[in-house]
Amino acid sequence: MISVVLADDQALVRAGFRALLDAEPDIRVVGEAADGVQAVTLVRATRPDVVLMDIRMPGVDGLEATRRIAADPACAETRVVILTTFELDEYVFEALRTGASGFLVKDTEPVELLRGVRAVAAGDALLSPSVTRRVIGEFAGAGAGRRPEPPRELDQLTDREREVMALVAEGLSNDEIAARLVISPATAKTHVSRTMIKLGARDRAQLVVYAYEAGLIRPGWLA
């Protein structure tokens, strides 16, 4: 059973998501929050598998709430999916940097929402190659004026692991990485897992961020 917390300041939005999710035999909504403070408190109390987090809420917004959840060791198994009105929300990339596992637009088709919840609960990132490309191209260096320094942990990676991380950042699955590098899917999965462990990445979404910050991919590279 996949447990889900809904965090959105609009009661009607929460009600719609709850009705959709609770109708599934393998998904259960364990709580709702109307702002970021409530969301963090609820997540710490219920330890859900997935949080559907609105990025714009009064008081503590979804970005700060995601940061607090990702920084709490007790919530290490919880995955946050950012809900946004637009695919190119200016805060999406920052949300990924703070620990979100991906994002969904609020008007996504119900079947896509359900598929996304199940994918994130299974440990996958909710980022399609096209969306990854657009997010990086539009917002990777925006605001700060310069690209952040690469994490020091990148020095621990082998050349193969860096190569694999760049392919993950392109949106490739383990099977696609295996085909590109002419290795077995099991070997590709091992490389991805080791890379995540060395970097302390929560999931594949953060590998996208690290790959950008390391200069392994840049806007315009993901064609």
Side-chain angles (χ1 to χ4, degrees):
M1 182 68 69
I2 300 171
S3 57
V4 179
V5 160
L6 304 174
D8 195 294
D9 62 335
Q10 298 184 47
L12 187 59
V13 171
R14 298 197 308 271
F17 282 145
R18 177 183 276 275
L20 175 66
L21 295 170
D22 277 346
E24 296 299 303
D26 61 332
I27 301 175
R28 179 169 60 99
V29 176
V30 297
E32 299 181 22
D35 59 47
V37 171
Q38 290 180 13
V40 174
T41 300
L42 186 56
V43 167
R44 287 172 175 165
T46 61
R47 311 284 177 83
D49 298 304
V50 179
V51 182
L52 296 181
M53 180 83 73
D54 184 19
I55 205 165
R56 291 183 172 87
M57 292 185 290
V60 173
D61 62 15
L63 189 63
E64 177 60 25
T66 298
R67 182 180 291 110
R68 294 181 187 182
I69 292 169
D72 189 342
C75 302
E77 300 303 315
T78 296
R79 299 292 178 257
V80 178
V81 175
I82 294 296
L83 296 173
T84 178
T85 306
F86 306 103
E87 281 190 351
L88 288 182
D89 191 298
E90 62 185 301
Y91 298 110
V92 165
F93 189 80
E94 183 62 25
L96 297 178
R97 291 190 67 205
T98 59
S101 294
F103 68 97
L104 286 168
V105 289
K106 288 187 176 181
D107 62 354
T108 190
E109 293 295 324
V111 66
E112 293 300 324
L113 173 65
L114 295 172
R115 182 180 296 119
V117 168
R118 292 185 176 108
V120 170
D124 293 331
L126 199 55
L127 290 169
S128 68
S130 62
V131 172
T132 300
R133 177 173 63 248
R134 291 167 63 188
V135 169
I136 290 175
E138 292 290 329
F139 296 112
R146 62 180 179 83
R147 197 174 70 218
E149 289 296 321
R152 292 181 179 179
E153 293 83 358
L154 287 169
D155 294 337
Q156 304 175 39
L157 301 185
T158 65
D159 289 341
R160 175 63 90 185
E161 288 166 347
R162 286 172 177 257
E163 188 176 17
V164 166
M165 183 167 69
L167 295 177
V168 168
E170 287 186 37
L172 272 62
S173 67
N174 289 343
D175 287 345
E176 291 168 332
I177 291 172
R180 179 79 67 87
L181 300 179
V182 194
I183 58 179
S184 72
T187 299
K189 181 178 180 180
T190 297
H191 284 313
V192 172
S193 297
R194 287 177 178 171
T195 301
M196 290 175 61
I197 290 171
K198 288 182 179 181
L199 294 177
R202 290 168 63 90
D203 52 33
R204 297 169 79 100
Q206 285 205 303
L207 289 185
V208 175
V209 177
Y210 288 143
Y212 171 80
E213 293 181 341
L216 300 181
I217 56 170
R218 294 172 186 163
W221 284 23
L222 306 183

